[in-house]
Amino acid sequence: TLVDGDFKLPESNAIMQYLCSKKPNTLWPQDPKTQADVARWLYWQLAHWDSACNPFTFERVVKQFMKLGNPDQNKLNEAEEKFKRFGTVLNDYLKDKKWLVGNDVTLADFAIAAPLHYATMAQMPIEPYTEIKRWHAQVEQLEAWKKSAT
């Protein structure tokens, strides 16, 4: 939760938008059409991408760390179907694109890349998605991303 004086704001995507709106930047562009396109991807991440990625992290990483038992294979199977569906959408969209929106990194890139931080450890089925892997490797090279991992 962000606390800015008497203003309290939960939810990471809303926090990112709020912070970026305080000073013009490419992460949350001022242009309404570009901003709407970034928002589209933020909504897509919440509605679809997280449900495709997060079960792998919970079942294979969090449960092991917290000693909560073995992974639930039914939940992993369901997540794999979602990953195939939404991974294909993202992979196809990223063809011939450096970033998700326009020519600069935006909040959309950070939000959608975030669950992939655990892709290897959580054994997400990312291997066939060459465009996602290319794009994610590019995100990982950003100085801000590197700093957040330390």
Side-chain angles (χ1 to χ4, degrees), residues 2-143:
L2 172 92
V3 178
D4 186 9
D6 62 350
F7 180 60
K8 294 180 182 173
L9 183 65
E11 301 300 333
S12 60
N13 287 348
I15 292 167
M16 290 190 304
Q17 291 173 6
Y18 176 75
L19 291 174
C20 287
S21 69
K22 290 185 159 277
K23 183 177 179 184
N25 60 75
T26 62
L27 294 173
W28 185 241
Q30 298 294 308
D31 171 61
K33 288 180 182 176
T34 308
Q35 202 173 70
D37 202 16
V38 172
R40 166 183 67 122
W41 282 106
L42 294 175
Y43 300 143
W44 183 85
Q45 173 251 330
L46 291 171
H48 305 297
W49 191 235
D50 279 358
S51 69
C53 297
N54 291 347
F56 292 102
T57 304
F58 180 75
E59 294 296 329
R60 292 185 172 145
V61 180
V62 173
K63 281 177 109 174
Q64 180 181 357
F65 179 76
M66 301 291 291
K67 299 182 183 354
L68 298 174
N70 294 324
D72 182 327
Q73 192 58 50
N74 290 331
K75 290 183 180 177
L76 290 170
N77 291 344
E78 184 180 311
E80 187 161 351
E81 288 304 312
K82 288 181 179 183
F83 198 96
K84 286 178 185 176
R85 180 177 175 196
F86 300 120
T88 298
V89 168
L90 181 59
N91 197 71
D92 289 349
Y93 183 83
L94 285 168
K95 288 180 181 162
D96 302 319
K97 290 180 178 60
K98 183 173 182 179
W99 303 109
L100 281 166
V101 178
N103 298 318
D104 296 299
V105 65
T106 67
L107 296 179
D109 296 290
F110 284 108
I112 292 174
L116 297 176
H117 179 71
Y118 296 103
T120 300
M121 189 183 307
Q123 301 167 43
M124 291 179 197
I126 195 168
E127 194 53 40
Y129 302 97
T130 56
E131 293 300 319
I132 294 174
K133 291 187 326 183
R134 172 198 56 78
W135 163 81
H136 186 249
Q138 182 176 279
V139 171
E140 287 183 315
Q141 293 307 307
L142 295 167
E143 194 60 33

